[in-house]
Amino acid sequence: MKNKIFGIALLVFTLLIPVDLQAQCGSTNTAFNSGETISYDLYFNWKFVWKKVGTASWNVTRTTYSGKPAYKTYLITRGSQQSDRYFVMRDTLTTYTDLNLVPLFYTKHAKEGKDYRVEEVWYSYPNRQCSVKMRYRKNNRPAQNSTFSSKYCAYDMLSMMLRARSFNAGTMKEGQRVNFILAEGKHCEWRQLIYKGKKTIKMENSNNRYRCLVFSYVEKEGGKEKTIVTFYVTDDANHLPVRLDLNLRFGTAKAYMRGATGLRHPLTSKV
């Protein structure tokens, strides 16, 4: 669940019934350049004290996929040696999109505690449909294969983040909700995002302060709505996620941006 943190953390868009579905599933990139790298410090609430437990890194690089120009985006989270004594965390998420940010392929390799999981998602767009093939493996168990097809676009955690980076949230009203389809390796399901307005926040790991847009990602659990993550993205053209508040199975965690290089725009939200 924690790895919905970044991927889920920035999705803000409306899904439309398409005329050309593959074109509708893409978006003009106004937010990032190839070579952008963002680093984070991860904190966990341990007996009412926030302790640093690891790091995370995000990178976007121009490459090729199936012989065509594409973006490769990865997110890596790593627990520290100290935190490994309590809970091992080694997660690597990778997505490929075309240059218009249309999802092509996604994979997640997650070592969490004693479990090792692999999720794979392949996208295609036949007959004005979004067709998704998924494979899920846990430890040494046989792989589970599934498919999904819809007239609406589907996104994994990273490809949705790339699309949302170029979204102008200035037109949204506080409390507005957005529905979307998330591909997770075993299934595709509708999810919901709530816009919470604007707030200036201070980093835990520095004295830096940023003007941010605030969003909460929610799921239905037992018929009740549960907030999974609240995230803060810079209120500038970069739309960088600088802080994430996470409600995980084993407690509460936060991620704070430590640094960023290769940005496309000046970080004008910094105050």
Side-chain angles (χ1 to χ4, degrees):
M1 186 172 296
K2 69 170 127 339
N3 281 303
K4 291 173 181 177
I5 66 183
F6 295 97
I8 296 161
L10 289 179
L11 176 65
V12 192
F13 60 89
T14 305
L15 297 168
L16 304 174
I17 300 176
V19 175
D20 180 344
L21 189 83
Q22 186 163 356
Q24 293 289 345
C25 292
S27 176
T28 301
N29 168 31
T30 63
F32 62 86
N33 286 325
S34 174
E36 178 189 80
T37 300
I38 310 170
S39 59
Y40 297 88
D41 290 327
L42 304 180
Y43 292 80
F44 184 73
N45 193 333
W46 180 257
K47 295 182 179 180
F48 305 103
V49 177
W50 288 99
K51 291 183 176 290
K52 182 180 176 181
V53 296
T55 61
S57 60
W58 161 278
N59 176 266
V60 183
T61 304
R62 182 162 173 169
T63 183
T64 59
Y65 182 84
S66 297
K68 297 181 180 180
Y71 286 119
K72 176 183 178 182
T73 305
Y74 70 73
L75 171 68
I76 300 174
T77 61
R78 295 289 184 266
S80 64
Q81 290 184 346
Q82 183 180 12
S83 66
D84 280 352
R85 290 180 288 180
Y86 305 98
F87 187 85
V88 176
M89 181 177 63
R90 301 285 187 275
D91 297 346
T92 301
L93 293 74
T94 306
T95 197
Y96 287 84
T97 66
D98 71 13
L99 297 186
N100 292 318
L101 308 185
V102 176
L104 302 172
F105 174 71
Y106 165 78
T107 183
K108 171 185 173 183
H109 294 255
K111 173 65 175 177
E112 297 171 357
K114 297 181 180 180
D115 293 326
Y116 180 73
R117 304 191 313 276
V118 178
E119 299 177 10
E120 297 169 286
V121 179
W122 293 265
Y123 302 88
S124 60
Y125 304 90
N127 303 318
R128 299 180 179 177
Q129 295 281 307
C130 177
S131 179
V132 181
K133 294 182 179 180
M134 294 168 282
R135 181 163 60 200
Y136 175 86
R137 289 173 288 166
K138 182 176 180 180
N139 299 327
N140 295 321
R141 300 173 189 173
Q144 302 176 39
N145 296 285
S146 57
T147 60
F148 175 84
S149 183
S150 174
K151 61 185 177 183
Y152 298 103
C153 304
Y155 298 83
D156 53 80
M157 290 174 281
L158 297 186
S159 62
M160 66 174 64
M161 179 175 182
L162 291 174
R163 177 173 175 127
R165 293 275 303 270
S166 298
F167 178 79
N168 180 9
T171 60
M172 298 189 72
K173 296 181 180 180
E174 188 170 344
Q176 183 173 337
R177 293 172 179 247
V178 177
N179 296 314
F180 61 94
I181 297 176
L182 180 69
E184 297 186 289
K186 289 195 293 185
H187 46 67
C188 290
E189 292 186 354
W190 286 96
R191 302 299 191 199
Q192 196 168 76
L193 194 74
I194 305 174
Y195 175 54
K196 295 296 187 69
K198 299 183 179 183
K199 185 175 182 180
T200 298
I201 62 157
K202 179 184 175 300
M203 297 291 97
E204 176 74 18
N205 52 357
S206 71
N207 290 320
N208 293 333
R209 295 166 61 89
Y210 298 93
R211 294 189 306 273
C212 293
L213 308 171
V214 185
F215 299 88
S216 289
Y217 168 79
V218 299
E219 292 182 354
K220 286 291 183 65
E221 187 174 286
K224 296 182 179 180
E225 195 170 81
K226 179 180 179 181
T227 298
I228 304 302
V229 55
T230 297
F231 56 94
Y232 303 78
V233 301
T234 56
D235 189 10
D236 57 31
N238 296 291
H239 287 163
L240 293 179
V242 294
R243 171 179 157 182
L244 304 115
D245 297 348
L246 317 165
N247 295 312
L248 309 175
R249 295 192 309 270
F250 51 88
T252 304
K254 292 185 180 182
Y256 290 92
M257 187 178 76
R258 182 173 71 248
T261 59
L263 299 184
R264 181 170 178 173
H265 305 284
L267 200 57
T268 57
S269 59
K270 187 175 179 181
V271 297

